[in-house]
Amino acid sequence: MKGGILYRLRGKLLFLILTLLICITVLLLAWEKTPLVTSLLSVQDQFVTSYSEILVDSSRNPDQVIRPKEHGGEDFSDAVETRETTNEQIQDLSVQPMGSATKNSTKSIENISDLTASAEKKVCNYAKGKWVEDSRWPLYSGFGCKQWLSGMWACRLTQRTDFSYEGFRWQPQNCEMPDFEASAFLRRMKDKTLAFVGDSLGRQQFQSLMCMASGGKESPNVQDVGREYGLVKARGAIRPDGWAYRFPTTNTTILYYWSASLCDLEPLNVTDPATYFAMHLDRPAAFLRQYLSRFDVLILNTGHHWNRGKLRANRWVMYVNGMPNKDKKRAEIGNAKNFAVYSVIKWLNSQLPQHPRLKAFFRTISPRHFLNGDWNSGGSCDNTTPLSRGAEVSKDESSDPVVESAVKGTGVKILDITALSELRDEGHMSRYSIKATEGVNDCLHWCLPGIPDTWNELLFAQL
């Protein structure tokens, strides 16, 4: 009798244990699919993708007593292109996945990573595509934009007779690039400031954007606000260090600052007008440090002033860590330029967390097309046939590997214009100018309207 009772009790106990195990298993499976786990994984994924290295910038007084002789006169000389990079690389930081994640959680992380990678692949590579003929181009008149366009770059005002180079637009592959419209640009830049900082090719891009934003028409209502940024013509100077203009209807400011090397230039003897200047390869231009907080969009460029002739003429002496550079390898022009590019991008990336609204770009180098010599030795670029070098860029990587490598892993974006501009050798100033000089050709700067307009279209698309 007792044995039967015990047998029945054991059966009930086993049934209860089995039921309890089933319930626990169901609960565990349901828990893994709850929003809590998903949200935890989402937070982890955001942490992995948003974490960036913060670099500390030395705070030196940016005021300068003597203005460096950076652009007393413009010529067409530039640095010999180099593909060397410095040993100082921008490091990629990563965070290991949480060790306590379950197998299903790990699969979720992998799925999220796959989706992220897929999304990245779908981001448009604006530098890959082709030139197509379009009767709607150019975007403004070379005759009408005299308010912003320097006469030396307005090929419509020169003896040139062929302007077929004006009638082409750039079409990126596998993605649409919106047509530039002045009103749309100004609305997008309402209450914002866009700044170009760089050499004379940066100045061309600035003048191009002023013509595009104004429709190439006289705009007496646009205000000169250069004084707000210290951009006034110094006594005895040929021109100010830059310009700044504001469109009052949208409170949009577009400015340009001349900094051919992007390095900080500091007079070694403030009492000597013929002093040499410390060219700090590891320190950004004082103008950048002083006014960065006022910018919403920043476009940097450098490259064509990195040659021995320019350094000697401007009396620039390379400095690193506040001392004259003693590293012979770094002193080589190509290495010095690369080091400066990496340095300014590192610094700019370190500032982005403090300026979350800032969109920063580094424009790749604009190609030169001298044949049979250089600017001062009979070099020329007489081709007037559009796209004789081809119409398409099919490669994914940039033709400026230094900039491409330097921005990798940072919040600074690449404005990649090198390869698409390489195809347009017919768009240079060539032998035409207001005062044409026999035997002198400008195969570095571009006619406007022209190729720099496309650079601004790519910029507009990425804003």
Side-chain angles (χ1 to χ4, degrees), residues 101-166:
T102 63
K103 291 182 179 179
N104 285 342
S105 300
T106 303
K107 289 181 180 179
S108 298
I109 294 174
E110 290 174 353
N111 291 338
I112 292 170
S113 300
D114 291 340
L115 288 173
T116 303
S118 177
E120 288 177 351
K121 289 178 182 178
K122 292 180 181 178
V123 173
C124 180
N125 180 0
Y126 289 95
K128 184 177 180 180
K130 62 182 178 180
W131 290 101
V132 295
E133 195 167 2
D134 196 318
S135 59
R136 297 174 297 166
W137 265 247
L139 300 175
Y140 57 90
S141 167
F143 291 114
C145 196
K146 296 178 183 179
Q147 186 175 0
W148 318 114
L149 181 53
S150 296
M152 61 182 175
W153 293 330
C155 286
R156 286 278 181 175
L157 304 180
T158 71
Q159 301 172 21
R160 183 163 182 160
T161 58
D162 181 87
F163 303 100
S164 57
Y165 64 88
E166 291 182 347

Side-chain angles (χ1 to χ4, degrees), residues 59-91:
S59 56
R60 189 182 65 81
N61 188 349
D63 295 334
Q64 292 184 340
V65 179
I66 298 179
R67 292 178 180 271
K69 181 187 173 185
E70 272 203 79
H71 55 94
E74 293 185 10
D75 57 35
F76 319 130
S77 59
D78 64 344
V80 176
E81 293 185 21
T82 174
R83 293 182 179 270
E84 297 178 60
T85 56
T86 62
N87 293 326
E88 185 172 350
Q89 301 288 333
I90 298 174
Q91 297 179 351

Side-chain angles (χ1 to χ4, degrees), residues 290-301:
Q290 185 174 358
Y291 294 105
L292 186 68
S293 62
R294 298 185 62 177
F295 302 155
D296 299 278
V297 180
L298 174 64
I299 305 96
L300 302 178
N301 89 282

Side-chain angles (χ1 to χ4, degrees), residues 131-390:
W131 290 101
V132 295
E133 195 167 2
D134 196 318
S135 59
R136 297 174 297 166
W137 265 247
L139 300 175
Y140 57 90
S141 167
F143 291 114
C145 196
K146 296 178 183 179
Q147 186 175 0
W148 318 114
L149 181 53
S150 296
M152 61 182 175
W153 293 330
C155 286
R156 286 278 181 175
L157 304 180
T158 71
Q159 301 172 21
R160 183 163 182 160
T161 58
D162 181 87
F163 303 100
S164 57
Y165 64 88
E166 291 182 347
F168 292 84
R169 65 175 173 84
W170 178 252
Q171 174 58 60
Q173 182 177 319
N174 299 326
C175 59
E176 291 297 325
M177 186 167 71
D179 291 343
F180 183 94
E181 294 182 359
S183 58
F185 168 77
L186 292 174
R187 285 196 304 271
R188 187 172 298 182
M189 291 299 298
K190 181 177 173 59
D191 299 322
K192 292 181 171 59
T193 296
L194 184 150
F196 294 98
V197 178
D199 58 23
S200 57
L201 277 303
R203 183 183 170 197
Q204 285 209 298
Q205 191 174 358
F206 159 73
Q207 291 190 4
S208 162
L209 186 59
M210 288 301 300
C211 289
M212 292 167 69
S214 63
K217 299 176 181 178
E218 196 75 16
S219 304
N221 61 319
V222 175
Q223 304 164 353
D224 183 343
V225 294
R227 191 170 294 275
E228 293 183 17
Y229 299 89
L231 302 176
V232 294
K233 185 177 177 181
R235 182 178 298 178
I238 296 177
R239 60 180 70 88
D241 287 336
W243 296 266
Y245 297 103
R246 182 167 296 143
F247 292 79
T249 54
T250 56
N251 191 34
T252 301
T253 302
I254 303 175
L255 69 83
Y256 163 76
Y257 179 76
W258 176 280
S259 180
S261 66
L262 300 180
C263 298
D264 190 21
L265 299 173
E266 186 179 35
L268 297 178
N269 183 355
V270 296
T271 63
D272 181 8
T275 186
Y276 281 77
F277 294 86
M279 179 190 189
H280 295 280
L281 301 179
D282 54 351
R283 187 186 298 170
F287 181 84
L288 279 173
R289 300 198 310 277
Q290 185 174 358
Y291 294 105
L292 186 68
S293 62
R294 298 185 62 177
F295 302 155
D296 299 278
V297 180
L298 174 64
I299 305 96
L300 302 178
N301 89 282
T302 188
H304 290 292
H305 279 248
W306 289 87
N307 60 72
R308 292 294 175 190
K310 287 292 186 183
L311 265 64
R312 285 193 294 267
N314 291 318
R315 303 191 298 276
W316 294 345
V317 181
M318 294 182 190
Y319 270 58
V320 177
N321 294 324
M323 302 292 291
N325 176 55
K326 301 296 184 182
D327 188 330
K328 292 183 178 179
K329 186 174 181 180
R330 183 182 291 154
E332 296 175 8
I333 290 295
N335 292 335
K337 187 263 290 183
N338 296 346
F339 182 81
V341 168
Y342 271 86
S343 295
V344 72
I345 290 175
K346 267 192 173 182
W347 171 81
L348 183 55
N349 185 57
S350 75
Q351 302 302 303
L352 292 180
Q354 303 170 41
H355 308 288
R357 76 175 191 274
L358 176 63
K359 294 184 178 180
F361 296 84
F362 202 106
R363 180 174 61 70
T364 60
I365 196 163
S366 172
R368 57 204 300 275
H369 290 94
F370 289 97
L371 296 175
N372 304 317
D374 216 316
W375 69 274
N376 57 352
S377 59
S380 63
C381 48
D382 292 332
N383 176 44
T384 58
T385 303
L387 307 178
S388 60
R389 290 170 173 254

